Amino acid sequence: MTNPLPVSTTMTEAVSRTARGAALAVGAAAAAGTALFGYGLSQTTRFVVREENLALLPTGSAPIRILHLSDIHMVPGQELKRRWLHSLADLKPDLVINTGDNLGHLRGLESLLAALGPLMAFPGAFVPGSNCYFGPRPKNPLRYLRKDSSVPRNSPKYQLPWEAMHRAFGAAGWVNMTNRNYSMPVRGTRLDFTGVDDPHLSYDRFAGWPAGSASSFDAPHLRIALAHAPYQRVLDRFTASDADLILAGHTHGGQICIPGYGALVTNCDLPTWRASGLTTWEWAGKSTPLNVSAGIGTSRFAPVRIACPPEAVLLTLSARP
């Protein structure tokens, strides 16, 4: 029986160094990942108000200030979010528009209504998102990198108290624009609204625009279209129907963005460079200003934001020159 060949000291040291190097690399990667997650977590409460100005109203009209809220994803105990939403009442908007995804927890309704209380004193309108109907679930974040905008698979056990939420909004005077149209006067201008149910769930049905006008609405008008998820088919439909302004949310602005590049995903078929902000949507020779909110919250299972602060949008509409 032969003795095994001895392993040289040099080889042993080389293997040891390689193992130590690999361990250090893994440790450094873990530390970097932890630091990045901590940074992303801290950014979820760096709330901002983005201000935009659009000269859309008929000549001579008084300006109208619209506060656009989206993707609140309210969870019990989010005190900083509650206080910030309260502070938005100090902006004294003429109108509040809520484009959905209000709830982030099965028991989030009480916290949501407490947070929105001061804002529900103002006139408003709303459309729902998928996270008004169904609660969030843990998901593989890599799925969002696939070009897959399929309808989410939901279950009654994840159903959120959306009916009670809609009743509370309606009791405060906010108008439910779910596959509906409606007109209201704001500062002497008739605002014609059309809204759709959540396109991400394929619940959307275009209701057209209000027909005719009552004597109380006998004034210059502006057409505003509302949707939660800005799918291209919905934006095309709104633009073809001569909307003057489209408001949407859903994208979270990409949520995790690369500085200098922007969003990697929009969670729908909207191009990533339109993931948030004010752009112009064009279809069939027509164009409409499109405001996509980066949203206020996140899923509680992915509570990070990078290079994409949570926002509300204050739109000041003024008279055309």
Side-chain angles (χ1 to χ4, degrees):
M1 181 175 178
T2 58
N3 292 325
L5 294 175
V7 178
S8 69
T9 303
T10 302
M11 183 181 296
T12 302
E13 291 176 349
V15 171
S16 179
R17 284 197 298 270
T18 301
R20 285 199 302 270
L24 288 172
V26 170
T34 300
L36 187 62
F37 180 82
Y39 171 78
L41 183 63
S42 72
Q43 298 304 295
T44 60
T45 54
R46 299 293 180 91
F47 303 108
V48 299
V49 176
R50 171 164 60 89
E51 297 194 36
E52 303 285 0
N53 295 275
L54 285 168
L56 295 178
L57 301 178
T59 302
S61 300
I64 297 174
R65 288 155 55 88
I66 297 177
L67 181 65
H68 179 194
L69 308 176
S70 197
D71 299 87
I72 296 172
H73 291 282
M74 199 71 191
V75 172
Q78 292 182 324
E79 179 62 16
L80 290 176
K81 185 188 291 186
R82 184 195 68 79
R83 294 204 313 245
W84 181 73
L85 284 167
H86 273 207
S87 75
L88 295 178
D90 295 338
L91 298 173
K92 293 181 169 53
D94 299 302
L95 184 69
V96 178
I97 299 295
N98 182 320
T99 52
D101 269 14
N102 287 286
L103 297 170
H105 195 279
L106 293 173
R107 295 188 296 276
L109 180 58
E110 183 178 351
S111 298
L112 173 73
L113 296 179
L116 291 177
L119 289 171
M120 290 197 295
F122 300 98
F126 66 93
V127 290
S130 60
N131 283 149
C132 291
Y133 293 119
F134 301 100
R137 287 170 287 168
K139 297 176 183 176
N140 179 357
L142 296 179
R143 67 182 289 273
Y144 291 106
L145 298 178
R146 300 196 305 266
K147 298 301 182 182
D148 177 15
S149 56
S150 57
V151 176
R153 293 189 298 273
N154 293 300
S155 164
K157 71 178 181 179
Y158 294 108
Q159 186 163 307
L160 295 167
W162 62 272
E163 292 174 303
M165 180 181 71
H166 286 188
R167 285 195 298 269
F169 287 172
W174 285 10
V175 180
N176 187 344
M177 296 306 308
T178 305
N179 295 335
R180 293 185 59 206
N181 57 49
Y182 188 80
S183 292
M184 70 171 72
V186 178
R187 302 205 69 198
T189 297
R190 167 184 161 176
L191 299 185
D192 287 346
F193 289 97
T194 192
V196 295
D197 207 339
D198 185 26
H200 195 55
L201 296 172
S202 297
Y203 288 176
D204 52 299
R205 302 291 182 270
F206 181 53
W209 297 99
S213 62
S215 58
S216 60
F217 289 154
D218 192 13
H221 71 274
L222 187 80
R223 288 179 159 183
I224 301 177
L226 309 179
H228 173 65
Y231 278 83
Q232 293 189 37
R233 69 175 190 277
V234 176
L235 304 180
D236 292 346
R237 187 184 300 125
F238 286 159
T239 301
S241 69
D242 296 317
D244 296 305
L245 175 64
I246 304 171
L247 303 179
H250 176 71
T251 65
H252 295 190
Q255 192 166 323
I256 297 177
C257 299
I258 298 176
Y261 176 83
L264 298 175
V265 295
T266 59
N267 198 22
C268 63
D269 63 359
L270 189 72
T272 54
W273 65 273
R274 295 182 186 268
S276 67
L278 183 63
T279 62
T280 300
W281 189 260
E282 298 181 356
W283 173 251
K286 299 180 179 181
S287 61
T288 306
L290 165 66
N291 184 68
V292 177
S293 171
I296 293 168
T298 68
S299 166
R300 61 193 174 96
F301 298 112
V304 294
R305 280 183 178 263
I306 295 176
C308 182
E311 67 173 18
V313 186
L314 184 64
L315 289 157
T316 299
L317 308 183
S318 59
R320 290 187 292 267

